[in-house]
Amino acid sequence: MQHGKFITLEGGEGTGKTTQIQNLHSYLTRLGIDCIVTREPGGTAEAEKIRNLLVQRDGGDWDPLSEALLLFAARREHLVKKIWPAMQKGKWVISDRFVDSSRVYQGLAQGLGETVIEGLYYMIAGEFEPDLTFIMDINPEEGLRRSGKQNQMSLDLNESTEDRYERLGLGFHEKVRDGFLHIAKTHPKRCVIIDADQTPDAIFDQMSDVLQIKFGLKKAVKSGAV
Ligand SMILES: Nc1ncnc2c1ncn2[C@@H]1O[C@H](COP(=O)(O)OP(=O)(O)OP(=O)(O)O)[C@@H](O)[C@H]1O
Ligand SMILES: [Mg+2]
C-alpha cells in the first residue's frame, strides 16, 4: 500500500486555515481519497492536554524555551500516535498548523532561533516533512479582525478563550506574517503561498489548482465540488 500524503495549512490568526481545511477534506473525500483532519497543538488526547496549557487565555506564562519543549512534546505524540500510523495505512492527513508554526512563532517571533527549533524537530521527526504546505497570507489586521478575538475580555462560556497568541499585539503578528513568507521562500518545493484576502471559493480554487499540479488530482469546479 502506498503511504498517504501529509498536507499542512499554516499562517497567522484568522487567515482561513480552518475554513479551507473543511473544503480540502470534502474535496479529497469526494475524489475517493481516505483522509483525516487534525490540528496542532493537539490531535491526540495527550497532545490536546498540552494544547490547553498553551493556547488558553489562562494557560500560563511560559518561558519561550519551555513553551517550545511543550509544543514539541505534543508534536511527537501527534506524529507517533496519529499522523504516521494513518499515513502508513494509506490515509492522507491534513493538519491545521504543524512545525512551520513553531519555526515562526517560537523560532522567529519569540526569538528562540533556527538552531533550537531545527534541533528539536530533528529529534522528534528526523527528516520527515509535509508533502505540501499551504501558507495562508493576509494583512494581520484583517486576520485579527476576522478571528475577532483580540479585544474581547468577555468570559462568556460560549466564546472561545483560545486566544493567548491573538492577544500578543499587532507587531508580533506582523513578525509572524513575515516569518511565514520567509519559510515559503526557504522551502519552495513544499510551500505555496495563498493570497487569503479573497473569497473562500476563490481561495479554494487556487488551492485545488495546486493539488492538481502537485498530485495529479482532478480540479475542483468550485469550492468543495468535483
Ligand atoms: N476568505 C474569507 N473571507 C472572509 N472571511 C473569512 C474567509 N475565510 C474565513 N473567514 C472567516 O474568518 C474567520 C476566521 O477563519 P478561520 O477560523 O478559518 O481562520 P483560522 O486561520 O483557522 O483562524 P485561527 O488562527 O484563529 O484558528 C471565520 O469567522 C471565518 O468564517
Ligand atoms: Mg483555526
Side-chain angles (χ1 to χ4, degrees), residues 131-150:
D131 295 287
L132 172 63
T133 298
F134 290 108
I135 305 270
M136 312 302 286
D137 181 60
I138 204 165
N139 178 328
E141 269 181 277
E142 173 61 11
L144 289 170
R145 195 190 59 72
R146 282 186 186 177
S147 77
K149 297 173 191 165
Q150 190 187 29

Side-chain angles (χ1 to χ4, degrees), residues 142-177:
E142 173 61 11
L144 289 170
R145 195 190 59 72
R146 282 186 186 177
S147 77
K149 297 173 191 165
Q150 190 187 29
N151 298 313
Q152 291 177 7
M153 295 300 288
S154 159
L155 289 176
D156 180 341
L157 289 177
N158 294 321
E159 176 213 325
S160 170
T161 53
E162 284 198 344
D163 61 0
R164 194 173 146 248
Y165 290 110
E166 280 86 345
R167 290 172 164 257
L168 288 173
L170 196 56
F172 180 87
H173 294 287
E174 275 160 359
K175 274 195 207 165
V176 165
R177 182 190 198 185

Side-chain angles (χ1 to χ4, degrees), residues 162-223:
E162 284 198 344
D163 61 0
R164 194 173 146 248
Y165 290 110
E166 280 86 345
R167 290 172 164 257
L168 288 173
L170 196 56
F172 180 87
H173 294 287
E174 275 160 359
K175 274 195 207 165
V176 165
R177 182 190 198 185
D178 291 348
F180 278 117
L181 293 174
H182 174 75
I183 297 280
K185 217 183 270 176
T186 51
H187 300 76
K189 278 197 186 147
R190 168 173 70 83
C191 296
V192 178
I193 299 168
I194 301 289
D195 175 6
D197 198 1
Q198 309 180 69
T199 64
D201 279 1
I203 292 169
F204 191 70
D205 199 46
Q206 216 175 317
M207 290 170 68
S208 66
D209 280 345
V210 173
L211 292 170
Q212 191 192 19
I213 293 163
K214 181 101 182 167
F215 302 122
L217 299 182
K218 197 170 155 189
K219 175 149 172 50
V221 176
K222 59 178 181 167
S223 177

Side-chain angles (χ1 to χ4, degrees), residues 2-226:
Q2 264 212 323
H3 265 219
K5 305 287 184 201
F6 183 43
I7 302 174
T8 57
L9 270 79
E10 299 275 11
E13 322 300 320
T15 50
K17 299 177 296 297
T18 306
T19 303
Q20 293 303 335
I21 276 190
Q22 300 314 319
N23 283 340
L24 194 53
H25 181 255
S26 62
Y27 169 63
L28 292 175
T29 303
R30 286 189 219 187
L31 286 177
I33 293 170
D34 192 1
C35 63
I36 60 167
V37 167
T38 189
R39 69 171 182 181
E40 288 211 343
T44 71
E46 290 74 16
E48 290 285 331
K49 289 182 194 167
I50 297 178
R51 177 187 181 91
N52 286 333
L53 298 174
L54 296 173
V55 303
Q56 288 288 345
R57 191 177 299 174
D58 59 358
D61 180 19
W62 298 101
D63 160 75
L65 180 56
S66 308
E67 182 162 338
L69 291 167
L70 284 169
L71 285 163
F72 278 96
R75 183 161 298 128
R76 173 74 186 174
E77 288 293 315
H78 194 202
L79 280 167
V80 169
K81 297 193 183 147
K82 189 168 189 181
I83 298 172
W84 288 337
M87 291 176 73
Q88 272 156 14
K89 286 184 198 141
K91 290 180 200 278
W92 290 34
V93 179
I94 314 165
S95 187
D96 196 334
R97 297 192 181 279
F98 189 63
V99 66
D100 294 324
S101 286
S102 297
R103 288 182 170 126
V104 169
Y105 284 76
Q106 282 68 47
L108 292 162
Q110 292 183 324
L112 279 185
E114 202 176 318
T115 313
V116 169
I117 301 297
E118 296 310 326
L120 290 172
Y121 186 61
Y122 189 77
M123 195 183 344
I124 65 142
E127 306 281 347
F128 178 77
E129 282 277 1
D131 295 287
L132 172 63
T133 298
F134 290 108
I135 305 270
M136 312 302 286
D137 181 60
I138 204 165
N139 178 328
E141 269 181 277
E142 173 61 11
L144 289 170
R145 195 190 59 72
R146 282 186 186 177
S147 77
K149 297 173 191 165
Q150 190 187 29
N151 298 313
Q152 291 177 7
M153 295 300 288
S154 159
L155 289 176
D156 180 341
L157 289 177
N158 294 321
E159 176 213 325
S160 170
T161 53
E162 284 198 344
D163 61 0
R164 194 173 146 248
Y165 290 110
E166 280 86 345
R167 290 172 164 257
L168 288 173
L170 196 56
F172 180 87
H173 294 287
E174 275 160 359
K175 274 195 207 165
V176 165
R177 182 190 198 185
D178 291 348
F180 278 117
L181 293 174
H182 174 75
I183 297 280
K185 217 183 270 176
T186 51
H187 300 76
K189 278 197 186 147
R190 168 173 70 83
C191 296
V192 178
I193 299 168
I194 301 289
D195 175 6
D197 198 1
Q198 309 180 69
T199 64
D201 279 1
I203 292 169
F204 191 70
D205 199 46
Q206 216 175 317
M207 290 170 68
S208 66
D209 280 345
V210 173
L211 292 170
Q212 191 192 19
I213 293 163
K214 181 101 182 167
F215 302 122
L217 299 182
K218 197 170 155 189
K219 175 149 172 50
V221 176
K222 59 178 181 167
S223 177
V226 174

